[in-house]
Amino acid sequence: MDEVEIRLATYEDKKYLVKWLSDPDTLRWYPMSNEREIEDAANIWISYVKYKAVITALYNGQPAGIANLYLQHLKKVSHQCLLAIVVGKDFRNKGIGTRLIQELIKMGQEQFHLKYLHLEVYENNPAFSLYQRLGFEKFGEQKNFIKEQDRYRSKIFMQRKLV
């Protein structure tokens, strides 16, 4: 039986994050474009391990995805935060993204007492429907945000109120 387990991430999980983000099919949905940018982004992402705000999904015991809450440290904005998620290419469509986001929602409510979670997704990203299904609503769009060769893509802003 296939099993998804969620645990707190460790600094060692950075290697999986870098591996997943380095896949060209995955990278097209993120703003990084080369190895140095991926490394920089992974360092920032994994730095939230110290706040226990990063989680790793294991699928049949194997690392399959990682997600985090970019907690805000300024009091006026500490009621909300941006989330980020990536699921390894070989582990998609197995419920891992759903489980990671559900766990982030729970952590946001119970651990960090957040009122809102935000995310950013590029137009035509297949994960858009997942976010909608989990209660995220579009609240804005930045046109022509990403440029790939001669094509531009918009960034869509979504949020979910935590009860």
Side-chain angles (χ1 to χ4, degrees), residues 2-159:
D2 296 331
E3 186 178 317
V4 178
E5 177 189 341
I6 305 293
R7 65 161 170 77
L8 285 174
T10 66
Y11 290 106
E12 291 75 33
D13 290 332
K14 178 185 159 192
K15 64 186 172 204
Y16 303 111
L17 177 58
V18 169
K19 175 185 170 190
W20 297 325
L21 290 173
S22 296
D23 175 77
D25 291 334
T26 301
L27 188 59
R28 70 182 297 236
W29 304 114
Y30 294 86
M32 298 79 73
S33 58
N34 60 46
E35 193 176 302
R36 184 191 55 77
E37 291 175 356
I38 292 169
E39 184 71 21
D40 288 347
N43 284 333
I44 293 167
W45 185 316
I46 210 74
S47 74
Y48 284 79
V49 162
K50 65 185 166 207
Y51 304 113
K52 298 183 179 178
V54 187
I55 53 176
T56 297
L58 304 175
Y59 186 75
N60 293 330
Q62 201 174 0
I66 193 166
N68 82 329
L69 296 173
Y70 286 106
L71 299 171
Q72 300 293 323
H73 300 285
L74 301 173
K75 180 120 177 100
K76 288 182 182 180
V77 293
S78 64
H79 64 282
Q80 56 82 38
C81 79
L82 181 70
L83 71 83
I85 180 172
V86 64
V87 174
K89 187 177 180 177
D90 296 335
F91 299 100
R92 295 193 187 131
N93 299 309
K94 298 180 185 314
I96 293 163
T98 298
R99 287 288 308 281
L100 282 167
I101 292 174
Q102 288 171 334
E103 188 63 27
L104 287 182
I105 290 168
K106 182 179 171 186
M107 288 169 59
Q109 291 171 316
E110 297 175 6
Q111 229 177 298
F112 301 111
H113 311 290
L114 299 172
K115 303 297 181 207
Y116 294 92
L117 286 181
H118 298 254
L119 62 85
E120 300 170 352
V121 61
Y122 302 127
E123 69 178 316
N124 301 320
N125 186 320
F128 185 82
S129 60
L130 166 68
Y131 304 142
Q132 285 183 311
R133 193 173 62 215
L134 293 173
F136 287 84
E137 297 177 349
K138 178 180 174 178
F139 71 90
E141 183 172 348
Q142 184 175 356
K143 301 275 187 199
N144 302 318
F145 181 75
I146 278 204
K147 182 179 181 186
E148 297 169 323
Q149 288 91 29
D150 291 328
R151 182 175 179 266
Y152 291 92
R153 221 173 331 156
S154 297
K155 175 169 61 172
I156 299 166
F157 300 93
M158 302 182 82
Q159 72 178 4

